[in-house]
Protein backbone atom coordinates (compact mmCIF):
# COMPACT_ATOMS: atom_id res chain seq x y z
CA UNK A 1 0.00 0.00 0.00
CA UNK A 2 2.13 2.84 -1.18
CA UNK A 3 1.10 5.72 0.97
CA UNK A 4 1.29 9.40 1.82
CA UNK A 5 -0.09 11.85 4.46
CA UNK A 6 -0.53 15.17 6.30
CA UNK A 7 -2.77 18.23 6.37
CA UNK A 8 -1.76 21.50 7.96
CA UNK A 9 1.89 21.56 7.05
CA UNK A 10 1.18 19.73 3.81
CA UNK A 11 -2.31 19.33 2.46
CA UNK A 12 -1.02 16.82 -0.09
CA UNK A 13 -2.32 13.88 1.61
CA UNK A 14 -5.54 14.53 3.32
CA UNK A 15 -6.87 12.07 0.85
CA UNK A 16 -6.92 8.77 2.56
CA UNK A 17 -5.63 8.22 6.04
CA UNK A 18 -4.13 4.95 4.81
CA UNK A 19 -2.74 6.06 1.44
CA UNK A 20 0.49 7.30 -0.04
CA UNK A 21 3.03 9.13 2.07
CA UNK A 22 5.57 11.52 0.58
CA UNK A 23 9.28 10.89 0.74
CA UNK A 24 10.07 14.52 -0.07
CA UNK A 25 11.39 16.32 3.00
CA UNK A 26 13.11 19.55 3.96
CA UNK A 27 15.15 20.58 6.98
CA UNK A 28 12.91 21.86 9.83
CA UNK A 29 14.12 25.46 9.41
CA UNK A 30 13.65 25.39 5.65
CA UNK A 31 10.21 23.77 5.98
CA UNK A 32 9.02 26.36 8.49
CA UNK A 33 10.25 29.27 6.39
CA UNK A 34 8.76 27.77 3.22
CA UNK A 35 5.47 27.11 5.00
CA UNK A 36 5.23 30.68 6.36
CA UNK A 37 6.06 32.37 3.07
CA UNK A 38 3.70 30.12 1.14
CA UNK A 39 0.92 30.75 3.64
CA UNK A 40 1.42 34.51 3.55
CA UNK A 41 1.33 34.60 -0.24
CA UNK A 42 -1.78 32.41 -0.37
CA UNK A 43 -3.64 34.45 2.25
CA UNK A 44 -2.80 37.74 0.57
CA UNK A 45 -4.31 36.29 -2.59
CA UNK A 46 -7.24 34.62 -0.77
CA UNK A 47 -7.87 36.58 2.47
CA UNK A 48 -11.02 34.59 3.23
CA UNK A 49 -8.78 31.57 3.86
CA UNK A 50 -7.42 33.10 7.06
CA UNK A 51 -10.12 32.14 9.53
CA UNK A 52 -10.52 28.52 8.37
CA UNK A 53 -6.73 28.19 8.61
CA UNK A 54 -6.75 29.62 12.14
CA UNK A 55 -9.52 27.25 13.21
CA UNK A 56 -7.63 24.32 11.74
CA UNK A 57 -4.41 25.28 13.48
CA UNK A 58 -6.14 25.60 16.84
CA UNK A 59 -7.93 22.28 16.37
CA UNK A 60 -4.62 20.60 15.55
CA UNK A 61 -2.96 22.03 18.66
CA UNK A 62 -5.88 20.81 20.77
CA UNK A 63 -5.64 17.33 19.25
CA UNK A 64 -1.94 17.14 20.06
CA UNK A 65 -2.78 17.60 23.75
CA UNK A 66 -5.17 14.64 23.81
CA UNK A 67 -2.45 12.02 24.35
CA UNK A 68 -3.44 9.18 26.74
CA UNK A 69 -1.23 8.70 29.84
CA UNK A 70 -0.66 4.93 29.41
CA UNK A 71 2.77 4.34 27.77
CA UNK A 72 1.52 2.10 24.96
CA UNK A 73 -1.49 4.28 24.13
CA UNK A 74 0.64 7.38 24.48
CA UNK A 75 3.09 5.93 21.94
CA UNK A 76 0.27 5.05 19.53
CA UNK A 77 -1.35 8.47 19.55
CA UNK A 78 1.99 10.30 19.51
CA UNK A 79 3.04 8.19 16.54
CA UNK A 80 -0.28 8.95 14.86
CA UNK A 81 0.48 12.68 15.07
CA UNK A 82 3.94 12.10 13.59
CA UNK A 83 2.88 10.00 10.61
CA UNK A 84 -0.41 11.76 9.92
CA UNK A 85 -1.41 15.02 11.55
CA UNK A 86 -4.52 15.10 9.37
CA UNK A 87 -5.78 11.74 10.53
CA UNK A 88 -4.89 12.51 14.15
CA UNK A 89 -7.04 15.63 13.91
CA UNK A 90 -10.18 14.08 12.46
CA UNK A 91 -10.03 10.90 14.55
CA UNK A 92 -10.52 13.01 17.70
CA UNK A 93 -14.17 13.45 16.74
CA UNK A 94 -14.90 9.73 17.03
CA UNK A 95 -16.21 8.15 20.25
CA UNK A 96 -13.31 6.92 22.45
CA UNK A 97 -13.80 3.18 21.90
CA UNK A 98 -14.10 3.51 18.12
CA UNK A 99 -11.30 6.09 18.06
CA UNK A 100 -8.90 3.63 19.73
CA UNK A 101 -9.84 0.86 17.31
CA UNK A 102 -9.40 3.08 14.25
CA UNK A 103 -6.08 4.41 15.61
CA UNK A 104 -4.69 0.88 15.98
CA UNK A 105 -6.13 -0.17 12.62
CA UNK A 106 -4.31 2.75 11.06
CA UNK A 107 -0.96 2.01 12.74
CA UNK A 108 -1.08 -1.70 11.94
CA UNK A 109 -1.72 -0.96 8.26
CA UNK A 110 0.89 1.79 8.29
CA UNK A 111 3.43 -0.71 9.62
CA UNK A 112 2.39 -3.26 6.99
CA UNK A 113 2.73 -0.55 4.36
CA UNK A 114 6.19 0.36 5.63
CA UNK A 115 7.34 -3.18 4.95
CA UNK A 116 5.82 -3.15 1.46
CA UNK A 117 7.20 0.30 0.62
CA UNK A 118 10.79 -0.44 1.70
CA UNK A 119 12.39 -1.30 -1.63
CA UNK A 120 15.66 -2.25 0.11
CA UNK A 121 14.11 -5.41 1.64
CA UNK A 122 14.80 -8.49 -0.52
CA UNK A 123 11.68 -10.11 -1.93
CA UNK A 124 12.38 -13.46 -0.27
CA UNK A 125 12.38 -11.66 3.10
CA UNK A 126 9.53 -9.24 2.43
CA UNK A 127 6.90 -11.64 1.11
CA UNK A 128 6.78 -13.96 4.18
CA UNK A 129 6.52 -10.95 6.49
CA UNK A 130 3.61 -9.50 4.52
CA UNK A 131 1.79 -12.84 4.51
CA UNK A 132 2.21 -13.45 8.26
CA UNK A 133 1.87 -9.86 9.45
CA UNK A 134 -1.66 -10.40 10.82
CA UNK A 135 -0.20 -12.88 13.32
CA UNK A 136 2.41 -10.45 14.63
CA UNK A 137 -0.21 -8.07 16.03
CA UNK A 138 -0.83 -10.66 18.79
CA UNK A 139 2.86 -10.84 19.70
CA UNK A 140 3.93 -8.20 22.24
CA UNK A 141 7.60 -8.89 21.48
CA UNK A 142 7.60 -8.75 17.68
CA UNK A 143 9.32 -5.95 15.74
CA UNK A 144 11.11 -5.62 12.42
CA UNK A 145 13.59 -2.89 11.60
CA UNK A 146 12.79 -1.19 8.28
CA UNK A 147 11.59 2.13 6.93
CA UNK A 148 13.05 5.52 7.78
CA UNK A 149 12.58 8.22 10.43
CA UNK A 150 9.22 8.02 12.20
CA UNK A 151 8.29 4.85 10.31
CA UNK A 152 11.43 3.14 11.59
CA UNK A 153 10.46 4.15 15.13
CA UNK A 154 7.02 2.63 14.56
CA UNK A 155 8.55 -0.64 13.37
CA UNK A 156 11.23 -0.78 16.08
CA UNK A 157 8.67 -0.20 18.84
CA UNK A 158 5.77 -2.09 17.33
CA UNK A 159 5.25 -3.88 20.66
CA UNK A 160 3.38 -0.77 21.87
CA UNK A 161 0.91 -1.17 19.01
CA UNK A 162 0.48 -4.89 19.76
CA UNK A 163 -0.11 -4.16 23.44
CA UNK A 164 -2.81 -1.62 22.61
CA UNK A 165 -4.34 -3.96 20.01
CA UNK A 166 -4.74 -6.68 22.66
CA UNK A 167 -6.78 -4.29 24.81
CA UNK A 168 -9.39 -3.74 22.10
CA UNK A 169 -12.69 -5.59 22.09
CA UNK A 170 -12.68 -8.96 20.32
CA UNK A 171 -14.97 -7.70 17.54
CA UNK A 172 -12.49 -4.94 16.74
CA UNK A 173 -9.51 -7.32 16.90
CA UNK A 174 -11.15 -9.77 14.52
CA UNK A 175 -11.93 -7.06 11.97
CA UNK A 176 -8.36 -5.69 12.09
CA UNK A 177 -6.78 -9.14 11.86
CA UNK A 178 -8.96 -10.16 8.91
CA UNK A 179 -8.21 -7.04 6.86
CA UNK A 180 -4.48 -7.16 7.71
CA UNK A 181 -4.30 -10.81 6.59
CA UNK A 182 -6.06 -10.11 3.29
CA UNK A 183 -4.08 -6.96 2.62
CA UNK A 184 -0.73 -8.61 3.38
CA UNK A 185 -1.53 -11.46 1.00
CA UNK A 186 -2.55 -9.02 -1.72
CA UNK A 187 0.59 -6.94 -1.28
CA UNK A 188 2.71 -10.07 -1.48
CA UNK A 189 0.98 -11.03 -4.72
CA UNK A 190 1.83 -7.69 -6.35
CA UNK A 191 5.42 -7.74 -5.15
CA UNK A 192 5.87 -10.43 -7.79
CA UNK A 193 3.37 -9.10 -10.32
CA UNK A 194 3.19 -5.88 -12.34
CA UNK A 195 0.02 -3.88 -12.87
CA UNK A 196 -0.70 -4.76 -16.48
CA UNK A 197 -4.44 -4.39 -17.06
CA UNK A 198 -7.09 -2.11 -15.59
CA UNK A 199 -8.43 -5.20 -13.82
CA UNK A 200 -5.00 -5.62 -12.21
CA UNK A 201 -5.14 -1.95 -11.25
CA UNK A 202 -8.52 -2.39 -9.57
CA UNK A 203 -7.29 -5.54 -7.83
CA UNK A 204 -4.13 -3.86 -6.52
CA UNK A 205 -6.12 -0.85 -5.29
CA UNK A 206 -8.59 -3.24 -3.65
CA UNK A 207 -5.82 -4.90 -1.66
CA UNK A 208 -4.16 -1.69 -0.51
CA UNK A 209 -7.17 0.61 -0.09
CA UNK A 210 -10.48 -1.09 -0.89
CA UNK A 211 -9.85 -3.42 2.03
CA UNK A 212 -9.35 -0.35 4.23
CA UNK A 213 -12.85 0.71 3.27
CA UNK A 214 -14.18 -2.75 4.16
CA UNK A 215 -12.29 -2.70 7.45
CA UNK A 216 -13.57 0.72 8.46
CA UNK A 217 -17.12 -0.32 7.63
CA UNK A 218 -16.66 -3.32 9.91
CA UNK A 219 -15.33 -1.14 12.72
CA UNK A 220 -18.20 1.34 12.33
CA UNK A 221 -20.67 -1.54 12.50
CA UNK A 222 -18.92 -3.13 15.48
CA UNK A 223 -19.26 0.17 17.35
CA UNK A 224 -23.04 0.03 16.91
CA UNK A 225 -23.03 3.43 15.21
CA UNK A 226 -23.68 2.30 11.62
CA UNK A 227 -25.28 -0.46 9.60
CA UNK A 228 -22.77 -2.68 7.79
CA UNK A 229 -22.17 -1.18 4.36
CA UNK A 230 -21.90 -3.44 1.33
CA UNK A 231 -18.45 -4.60 0.29
CA UNK A 232 -18.82 -3.03 -3.15
CA UNK A 233 -19.58 0.44 -1.79
CA UNK A 234 -16.85 0.18 0.85
CA UNK A 235 -14.39 -0.96 -1.80
CA UNK A 236 -15.21 2.01 -4.04
CA UNK A 237 -14.51 4.43 -1.18
CA UNK A 238 -10.99 3.08 -1.00
CA UNK A 239 -10.40 2.79 -4.74
CA UNK A 240 -11.39 6.38 -5.44
CA UNK A 241 -8.95 7.67 -2.85
CA UNK A 242 -6.10 5.35 -3.76
CA UNK A 243 -6.37 6.05 -7.48
CA UNK A 244 -6.26 9.76 -6.74
CA UNK A 245 -3.06 9.29 -4.77
CA UNK A 246 -1.49 7.12 -7.47
CA UNK A 247 -2.27 9.77 -10.09
CA UNK A 248 -0.95 12.65 -8.01
CA UNK A 249 2.21 10.80 -6.91
CA UNK A 250 3.39 9.67 -10.35
CA UNK A 251 6.70 11.53 -10.20
CA UNK A 252 7.52 10.52 -6.63
CA UNK A 253 6.85 6.85 -7.38
CA UNK A 254 8.69 6.72 -10.70
CA UNK A 255 11.77 8.38 -9.12
CA UNK A 256 11.80 6.10 -6.06
CA UNK A 257 15.23 4.64 -5.22
CA UNK A 258 16.69 2.09 -5.26
CA UNK A 259 13.75 0.85 -7.35
CA UNK A 260 10.90 2.78 -8.93
CA UNK A 261 7.29 1.99 -8.08
CA UNK A 262 4.92 1.61 -11.02
CA UNK A 263 1.19 1.58 -10.30
CA UNK A 264 -0.25 3.07 -13.49
CA UNK A 265 -1.64 0.14 -15.55
CA UNK A 266 0.19 -0.73 -18.74
CA UNK A 267 -3.17 -1.06 -20.50
CA UNK A 268 -3.57 2.71 -20.16
CA UNK A 269 -0.05 4.16 -20.41
CA UNK A 270 1.05 1.92 -23.30
CA UNK A 271 -1.43 3.77 -25.53
CA UNK A 272 0.72 6.87 -25.17
CA UNK A 273 4.37 5.91 -24.54
CA UNK A 274 6.69 2.89 -24.72
CA UNK A 275 7.76 3.03 -21.08
CA UNK A 276 5.96 4.48 -18.05
CA UNK A 277 8.94 6.66 -17.13
CA UNK A 278 8.78 8.31 -20.57
CA UNK A 279 5.80 10.35 -19.38
CA UNK A 280 8.05 12.59 -17.29
CA UNK A 281 10.14 13.79 -20.24
CA UNK A 282 9.24 17.14 -21.80
CA UNK A 283 9.23 15.81 -25.35
CA UNK A 284 6.29 13.60 -24.36
CA UNK A 285 4.24 16.35 -22.67
CA UNK A 286 1.21 16.10 -24.97
CA UNK A 287 1.00 12.31 -24.64
CA UNK A 288 1.65 12.54 -20.90
CA UNK A 289 -1.32 14.85 -20.34
CA UNK A 290 -3.55 12.62 -22.46
CA UNK A 291 -2.51 9.62 -20.39
CA UNK A 292 -3.11 11.57 -17.19
CA UNK A 293 -6.61 12.49 -18.33
CA UNK A 294 -7.27 8.83 -19.13
CA UNK A 295 -6.25 7.90 -15.57
CA UNK A 296 -8.47 10.60 -14.03
CA UNK A 297 -11.41 9.43 -16.14
CA UNK A 298 -10.86 5.89 -14.87
CA UNK A 299 -11.01 7.05 -11.25
CA UNK A 300 -14.27 8.98 -11.78
CA UNK A 301 -16.08 5.67 -12.25
CA UNK A 302 -16.12 5.20 -8.45
CA UNK A 303 -17.75 8.50 -7.50
CA UNK A 304 -21.37 7.32 -7.64
CA UNK A 305 -20.67 4.50 -5.17
CA UNK A 306 -18.84 6.91 -2.87
CA UNK A 307 -21.76 9.32 -2.79
CA UNK A 308 -24.15 6.46 -2.03
CA UNK A 309 -21.92 5.20 0.80
CA UNK A 310 -21.75 8.63 2.43
CA UNK A 311 -25.48 9.24 1.97
CA UNK A 312 -26.20 6.12 4.03
CA UNK A 313 -24.05 7.14 7.02
CA UNK A 314 -25.95 8.16 10.17
CA UNK A 315 -23.37 9.21 12.75
CA UNK A 316 -22.15 12.83 12.21
CA UNK A 317 -18.58 12.15 13.41
CA UNK A 318 -18.20 9.07 11.23
CA UNK A 319 -19.70 10.99 8.32
CA UNK A 320 -17.10 13.76 8.57
CA UNK A 321 -14.32 11.22 9.04
CA UNK A 322 -15.32 9.60 5.73
CA UNK A 323 -16.48 12.63 3.76
CA UNK A 324 -13.55 15.04 4.15
CA UNK A 325 -11.00 12.76 2.39
CA UNK A 326 -13.48 12.12 -0.43
CA UNK A 327 -14.00 15.84 -1.02
CA UNK A 328 -10.23 16.34 -0.97
CA UNK A 329 -9.90 13.57 -3.55
CA UNK A 330 -12.31 15.07 -6.08
CA UNK A 331 -10.65 18.44 -5.51
CA UNK A 332 -7.22 16.96 -6.15
CA UNK A 333 -8.41 15.27 -9.35
CA UNK A 334 -9.79 18.61 -10.54
CA UNK A 335 -6.35 20.14 -9.92
CA UNK A 336 -4.49 17.29 -11.61
CA UNK A 337 -6.64 16.93 -14.72
CA UNK A 338 -4.95 18.23 -17.87
CA UNK A 339 -2.08 19.52 -15.71
CA UNK A 340 1.46 18.82 -16.95
CA UNK A 341 2.78 19.77 -13.50
CA UNK A 342 1.85 16.28 -12.30
CA UNK A 343 4.95 15.17 -14.22
CA UNK A 344 7.12 18.03 -12.95
CA UNK A 345 6.41 18.17 -9.23
CA UNK A 346 3.59 18.04 -6.68
CA UNK A 347 0.07 19.23 -7.52
CA UNK A 348 -2.09 19.97 -4.53
CA UNK A 349 -4.90 22.16 -3.27
CA UNK A 350 -3.83 25.29 -1.44
CA UNK A 351 -3.87 25.07 2.35
CA UNK A 352 -6.66 27.60 2.71
CA UNK A 353 -8.99 25.67 0.43
CA UNK A 354 -8.17 22.52 2.34
CA UNK A 355 -9.05 24.28 5.59
CA UNK A 356 -12.37 25.38 4.08
CA UNK A 357 -13.16 21.83 3.00
CA UNK A 358 -12.51 20.54 6.51
CA UNK A 359 -14.48 23.35 8.12
CA UNK A 360 -17.47 23.19 5.78
CA UNK A 361 -17.87 19.45 5.22
CA UNK A 362 -20.53 18.65 7.80
CA UNK A 363 -23.60 17.40 5.94
CA UNK A 364 -24.42 15.49 2.79
CA UNK A 365 -25.52 18.79 1.25
CA UNK A 366 -21.95 20.02 1.72
CA UNK A 367 -20.61 16.89 0.01
CA UNK A 368 -22.96 17.21 -2.95
CA UNK A 369 -22.02 20.86 -3.24
CA UNK A 370 -18.29 20.18 -3.16
CA UNK A 371 -18.51 17.36 -5.70
CA UNK A 372 -20.63 19.58 -7.92
CA UNK A 373 -18.19 22.48 -7.73
CA UNK A 374 -15.06 20.43 -8.31
CA UNK A 375 -16.72 18.45 -11.10
CA UNK A 376 -17.63 21.73 -12.79
CA UNK A 377 -14.03 22.84 -12.45
CA UNK A 378 -12.84 19.59 -13.99
CA UNK A 379 -15.42 19.80 -16.78
CA UNK A 380 -14.23 23.29 -17.70
CA UNK A 381 -10.75 21.86 -18.34
CA UNK A 382 -11.84 19.10 -20.73
CA UNK A 383 -10.47 19.67 -24.22
CA UNK A 384 -12.67 18.25 -26.96
CA UNK A 385 -9.53 17.11 -28.77
CA UNK A 386 -8.55 14.87 -25.86
CA UNK A 387 -8.90 11.17 -26.86
CA UNK A 388 -11.05 10.47 -23.80
CA UNK A 389 -13.06 13.70 -23.77
CA UNK A 390 -16.39 12.02 -24.54
CA UNK A 391 -15.97 9.41 -21.81
CA UNK A 392 -14.77 12.02 -19.31
CA UNK A 393 -17.71 14.34 -19.98
CA UNK A 394 -20.17 11.47 -19.74
CA UNK A 395 -18.89 10.47 -16.32
CA UNK A 396 -18.88 14.05 -15.12
CA UNK A 397 -22.46 14.56 -16.27
CA UNK A 398 -23.56 11.54 -14.22
CA UNK A 399 -21.91 13.04 -11.12
CA UNK A 400 -23.36 16.50 -11.76
CA UNK A 401 -26.85 15.07 -12.27
CA UNK A 402 -26.66 13.16 -8.99
CA UNK A 403 -25.66 16.33 -7.17
CA UNK A 404 -28.42 18.36 -8.84
CA UNK A 405 -31.04 15.69 -8.15
CA UNK A 406 -30.18 15.81 -4.44
CA UNK A 407 -31.99 19.14 -4.26
CA UNK A 408 -29.41 20.47 -1.82
CA UNK A 409 -27.13 22.63 -3.98
CA UNK A 410 -28.69 25.87 -2.75
CA UNK A 411 -28.18 24.89 0.91
CA UNK A 412 -24.42 25.34 1.17
CA UNK A 413 -21.63 27.79 0.45
CA UNK A 414 -19.81 27.40 -2.83
CA UNK A 415 -16.10 27.79 -2.21
CA UNK A 416 -14.83 26.68 -5.62
CA UNK A 417 -16.91 28.42 -8.26
CA UNK A 418 -16.92 32.07 -7.31
CA UNK A 419 -15.84 35.44 -8.61
CA UNK A 420 -12.68 36.90 -7.19
CA UNK A 421 -13.41 39.10 -4.14
CA UNK A 422 -12.48 42.74 -4.31
CA UNK A 423 -10.63 43.38 -1.04
CA UNK A 424 -9.34 46.82 -0.18
CA UNK A 425 -5.61 47.40 0.34
CA UNK A 426 -6.32 48.37 3.97
CA UNK A 427 -7.95 45.01 4.67
CA UNK A 428 -5.01 43.21 3.08
CA UNK A 429 -2.58 45.07 5.35
CA UNK A 430 -4.68 44.33 8.45
CA UNK A 431 -4.81 40.64 7.60
CA UNK A 432 -1.06 40.57 6.96
CA UNK A 433 -0.34 42.15 10.36
CA UNK A 434 -2.78 39.82 12.10
CA UNK A 435 -1.21 36.77 10.51
CA UNK A 436 2.28 37.97 11.46
CA UNK A 437 1.18 38.36 15.09
CA UNK A 438 -0.37 34.90 15.11
CA UNK A 439 2.72 33.28 13.62
CA UNK A 440 4.95 35.10 16.14
CA UNK A 441 2.73 33.90 18.99
CA UNK A 442 2.76 30.31 17.81
CA UNK A 443 6.52 30.40 17.29
CA UNK A 444 6.96 31.72 20.82
CA UNK A 445 4.89 28.87 22.22
CA UNK A 446 7.02 26.31 20.37
CA UNK A 447 10.28 27.60 21.80
Amino acid sequence: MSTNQSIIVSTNSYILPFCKRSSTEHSPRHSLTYYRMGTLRAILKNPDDLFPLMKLKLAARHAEKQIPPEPHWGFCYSMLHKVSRSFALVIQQLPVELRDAVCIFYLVLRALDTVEDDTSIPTDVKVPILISFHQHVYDREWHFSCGTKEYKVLMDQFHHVSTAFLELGKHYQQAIEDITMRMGAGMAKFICKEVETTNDYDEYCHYVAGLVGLGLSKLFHASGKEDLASDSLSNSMGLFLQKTNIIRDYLEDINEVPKCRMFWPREIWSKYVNKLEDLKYKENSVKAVQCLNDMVTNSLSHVEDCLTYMYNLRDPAIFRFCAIPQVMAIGTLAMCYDNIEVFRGVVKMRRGLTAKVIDRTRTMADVYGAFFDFSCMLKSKVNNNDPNATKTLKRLEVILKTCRDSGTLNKRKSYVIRSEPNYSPVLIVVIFILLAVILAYLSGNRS
Side-chain angles (χ1 to χ4, degrees), residues 349-374:
M349 294 168 60
R350 70 175 192 274
R351 296 178 180 89
L353 184 53
T354 298
K356 286 179 182 176
V357 168
I358 293 170
D359 185 45
R360 296 179 181 178
T361 304
R362 300 184 180 278
T363 68
M364 197 61 206
D366 300 325
V367 171
Y368 283 130
F371 270 79
F372 183 85
D373 285 348
F374 284 121

Side-chain angles (χ1 to χ4, degrees), residues 264-384:
W264 290 33
R266 182 186 297 271
E267 182 179 331
I268 290 179
W269 61 256
S270 63
K271 292 186 288 185
Y272 307 96
V273 288
N274 294 323
K275 295 185 292 185
L276 181 57
E277 56 265 35
D278 291 345
L279 293 173
K280 67 181 180 180
Y281 301 124
K282 289 186 178 180
E283 60 266 27
N284 296 321
S285 293
V286 173
K287 291 295 184 181
V289 168
Q290 291 176 347
C291 183
L292 168 65
N293 294 347
D294 202 342
M295 290 287 291
V296 171
T297 301
N298 173 278
S299 67
L300 292 175
S301 64
H302 304 291
V303 170
E304 284 295 289
D305 279 354
C306 294
L307 292 174
T308 301
Y309 182 99
M310 290 183 283
Y311 178 83
N312 290 330
L313 293 173
R314 300 177 304 192
D315 184 84
I318 291 174
F319 173 81
R320 291 199 74 217
F321 175 84
C322 295
I324 291 171
Q326 297 288 334
V327 173
M328 292 299 300
I330 188 66
T332 300
L333 288 181
M335 301 291 179
C336 289
Y337 185 85
D338 210 49
N339 190 346
I340 190 60
E341 291 304 312
V342 170
F343 304 98
R344 306 287 181 263
V346 178
V347 174
K348 58 184 178 181
M349 294 168 60
R350 70 175 192 274
R351 296 178 180 89
L353 184 53
T354 298
K356 286 179 182 176
V357 168
I358 293 170
D359 185 45
R360 296 179 181 178
T361 304
R362 300 184 180 278
T363 68
M364 197 61 206
D366 300 325
V367 171
Y368 283 130
F371 270 79
F372 183 85
D373 285 348
F374 284 121
S375 295
C376 285
M377 178 188 291
L378 203 162
K379 182 180 177 181
S380 71
K381 297 168 70 176
V382 176
N383 186 326
N384 288 332

